[in-house]
mmCIF file of all heavy atoms in Angstrom:
data_model
loop_
_atom_site.group_PDB
_atom_site.id
_atom_site.type_symbol
_atom_site.label_atom_id
_atom_site.label_comp_id
_atom_site.label_asym_id
_atom_site.label_seq_id
_atom_site.Cartn_x
_atom_site.Cartn_y
_atom_site.Cartn_z
ATOM 1 N N ALA A 510 147.014 13.359 67.397
ATOM 2 C CA ALA A 510 145.619 12.931 67.544
ATOM 3 C C ALA A 510 144.834 14.012 68.292
ATOM 4 O O ALA A 510 145.344 14.654 69.212
ATOM 5 C CB ALA A 510 145.567 11.609 68.300
ATOM 6 N N LYS A 511 143.580 14.207 67.881
ATOM 7 C CA LYS A 511 142.735 15.211 68.515
ATOM 8 C C LYS A 511 141.281 14.920 68.169
ATOM 9 O O LYS A 511 140.979 14.140 67.264
ATOM 10 C CB LYS A 511 143.124 16.616 68.062
ATOM 11 C CG LYS A 511 143.190 16.784 66.555
ATOM 12 C CD LYS A 511 144.266 17.782 66.169
ATOM 13 C CE LYS A 511 144.506 17.785 64.670
ATOM 14 N NZ LYS A 511 145.751 18.459 64.300
ATOM 15 N N THR A 512 140.388 15.580 68.876
ATOM 16 C CA THR A 512 138.958 15.378 68.683
ATOM 17 C C THR A 512 138.258 16.730 68.680
ATOM 18 O O THR A 512 138.602 17.619 69.471
ATOM 19 C CB THR A 512 138.357 14.512 69.806
ATOM 20 O OG1 THR A 512 139.064 13.267 69.865
ATOM 21 C CG2 THR A 512 136.883 14.251 69.578
ATOM 22 N N ALA A 513 137.277 16.874 67.789
ATOM 23 C CA ALA A 513 136.471 18.094 67.746
ATOM 24 C C ALA A 513 135.004 17.717 67.790
ATOM 25 O O ALA A 513 134.569 16.768 67.135
ATOM 26 C CB ALA A 513 136.768 18.889 66.479
ATOM 27 N N THR A 514 134.245 18.473 68.566
ATOM 28 C CA THR A 514 132.815 18.240 68.681
ATOM 29 C C THR A 514 132.056 19.515 68.324
ATOM 30 O O THR A 514 132.369 20.598 68.843
ATOM 31 C CB THR A 514 132.421 17.811 70.107
ATOM 32 O OG1 THR A 514 133.151 16.639 70.454
ATOM 33 C CG2 THR A 514 130.939 17.528 70.208
ATOM 34 N N LEU A 515 131.094 19.391 67.438
ATOM 35 C CA LEU A 515 130.182 20.491 67.092
ATOM 36 C C LEU A 515 128.816 20.177 67.670
ATOM 37 O O LEU A 515 128.283 19.088 67.455
ATOM 38 C CB LEU A 515 130.080 20.656 65.575
ATOM 39 C CG LEU A 515 128.930 21.545 65.067
ATOM 40 C CD1 LEU A 515 129.122 22.990 65.505
ATOM 41 C CD2 LEU A 515 128.807 21.463 63.552
ATOM 42 N N ASN A 516 128.255 21.142 68.373
ATOM 43 C CA ASN A 516 126.915 21.000 68.934
ATOM 44 C C ASN A 516 126.032 22.083 68.322
ATOM 45 O O ASN A 516 126.253 23.270 68.536
ATOM 46 C CB ASN A 516 126.959 21.145 70.452
ATOM 47 C CG ASN A 516 125.597 20.970 71.099
ATOM 48 O OD1 ASN A 516 124.713 20.340 70.536
ATOM 49 N ND2 ASN A 516 125.428 21.543 72.282
ATOM 50 N N MET A 517 125.049 21.676 67.517
ATOM 51 C CA MET A 517 124.089 22.605 66.938
ATOM 52 C C MET A 517 122.754 22.395 67.643
ATOM 53 O O MET A 517 122.220 21.291 67.668
ATOM 54 C CB MET A 517 123.935 22.351 65.435
ATOM 55 C CG MET A 517 123.007 23.335 64.711
ATOM 56 S SD MET A 517 121.258 22.892 64.719
ATOM 57 C CE MET A 517 121.224 21.518 63.562
ATOM 58 N N VAL A 518 122.214 23.483 68.218
ATOM 59 C CA VAL A 518 120.971 23.329 68.961
ATOM 60 C C VAL A 518 120.053 24.523 68.694
ATOM 61 O O VAL A 518 120.507 25.673 68.643
ATOM 62 C CB VAL A 518 121.245 23.178 70.473
ATOM 63 C CG1 VAL A 518 121.956 24.397 71.036
ATOM 64 C CG2 VAL A 518 119.962 22.875 71.235
ATOM 65 N N ALA A 519 118.771 24.232 68.522
ATOM 66 C CA ALA A 519 117.800 25.286 68.230
ATOM 67 C C ALA A 519 117.412 26.067 69.478
ATOM 68 O O ALA A 519 117.106 27.260 69.404
ATOM 69 C CB ALA A 519 116.543 24.668 67.608
ATOM 70 N N PHE A 520 117.425 25.410 70.628
ATOM 71 C CA PHE A 520 116.771 25.944 71.807
ATOM 72 C C PHE A 520 117.759 26.698 72.690
ATOM 73 O O PHE A 520 118.298 26.166 73.659
ATOM 74 C CB PHE A 520 116.082 24.805 72.562
ATOM 75 C CG PHE A 520 115.206 23.993 71.645
ATOM 76 C CD1 PHE A 520 115.664 22.787 71.113
ATOM 77 C CD2 PHE A 520 113.971 24.467 71.260
ATOM 78 C CE1 PHE A 520 114.875 22.067 70.239
ATOM 79 C CE2 PHE A 520 113.177 23.744 70.378
ATOM 80 C CZ PHE A 520 113.627 22.542 69.862
ATOM 81 N N SER A 521 117.989 27.947 72.330
ATOM 82 C CA SER A 521 118.949 28.768 73.067
ATOM 83 C C SER A 521 118.483 30.217 73.094
ATOM 84 O O SER A 521 117.772 30.673 72.196
ATOM 85 C CB SER A 521 120.334 28.685 72.411
ATOM 86 O OG SER A 521 120.278 29.180 71.084
ATOM 87 N N GLU A 522 118.892 30.918 74.132
ATOM 88 C CA GLU A 522 118.629 32.362 74.216
ATOM 89 C C GLU A 522 119.457 33.099 73.176
ATOM 90 O O GLU A 522 118.959 33.977 72.471
ATOM 91 C CB GLU A 522 118.976 32.868 75.617
ATOM 92 C CG GLU A 522 118.870 34.383 75.753
ATOM 93 C CD GLU A 522 119.404 34.899 77.083
ATOM 94 O OE1 GLU A 522 119.912 34.088 77.887
ATOM 95 O OE2 GLU A 522 119.329 36.129 77.297
ATOM 96 N N LYS A 523 120.743 32.750 73.098
ATOM 97 C CA LYS A 523 121.631 33.407 72.152
ATOM 98 C C LYS A 523 121.262 33.014 70.725
ATOM 99 O O LYS A 523 120.867 31.879 70.470
ATOM 100 C CB LYS A 523 123.083 33.034 72.435
ATOM 101 C CG LYS A 523 123.617 33.554 73.762
ATOM 102 C CD LYS A 523 125.074 33.198 73.950
ATOM 103 C CE LYS A 523 125.601 33.693 75.285
ATOM 104 N NZ LYS A 523 125.579 35.158 75.382
ATOM 105 N N ILE A 524 121.392 33.960 69.813
ATOM 106 C CA ILE A 524 121.121 33.702 68.405
ATOM 107 C C ILE A 524 122.443 33.756 67.648
ATOM 108 O O ILE A 524 123.016 34.822 67.436
ATOM 109 C CB ILE A 524 120.131 34.720 67.819
ATOM 110 C CG1 ILE A 524 118.771 34.589 68.521
ATOM 111 C CG2 ILE A 524 119.964 34.520 66.318
ATOM 112 C CD1 ILE A 524 117.722 35.555 68.021
ATOM 113 N N CYS A 525 122.944 32.577 67.313
ATOM 114 C CA CYS A 525 124.174 32.440 66.515
ATOM 115 C C CYS A 525 125.387 33.084 67.169
ATOM 116 O O CYS A 525 126.356 33.410 66.476
ATOM 117 C CB CYS A 525 123.965 33.009 65.103
ATOM 118 S SG CYS A 525 122.593 32.259 64.224
ATOM 119 N N GLU A 526 125.360 33.267 68.476
ATOM 120 C CA GLU A 526 126.535 33.774 69.190
ATOM 121 C C GLU A 526 127.347 32.558 69.640
ATOM 122 O O GLU A 526 127.273 32.109 70.774
ATOM 123 C CB GLU A 526 126.120 34.644 70.370
ATOM 124 C CG GLU A 526 125.423 35.926 69.966
ATOM 125 C CD GLU A 526 125.064 36.794 71.159
ATOM 126 O OE1 GLU A 526 125.888 36.863 72.098
ATOM 127 O OE2 GLU A 526 123.975 37.385 71.157
#
Side-chain angles (χ1 to χ4, degrees):
K511 52 213 170 195
T512 304
T514 302
L515 167 65
N516 182 24
M517 184 273 287
V518 61
F520 309 99
S521 61
E522 174 188 3
K523 294 182 181 296
I524 296 180
C525 304
E526 294 182 39

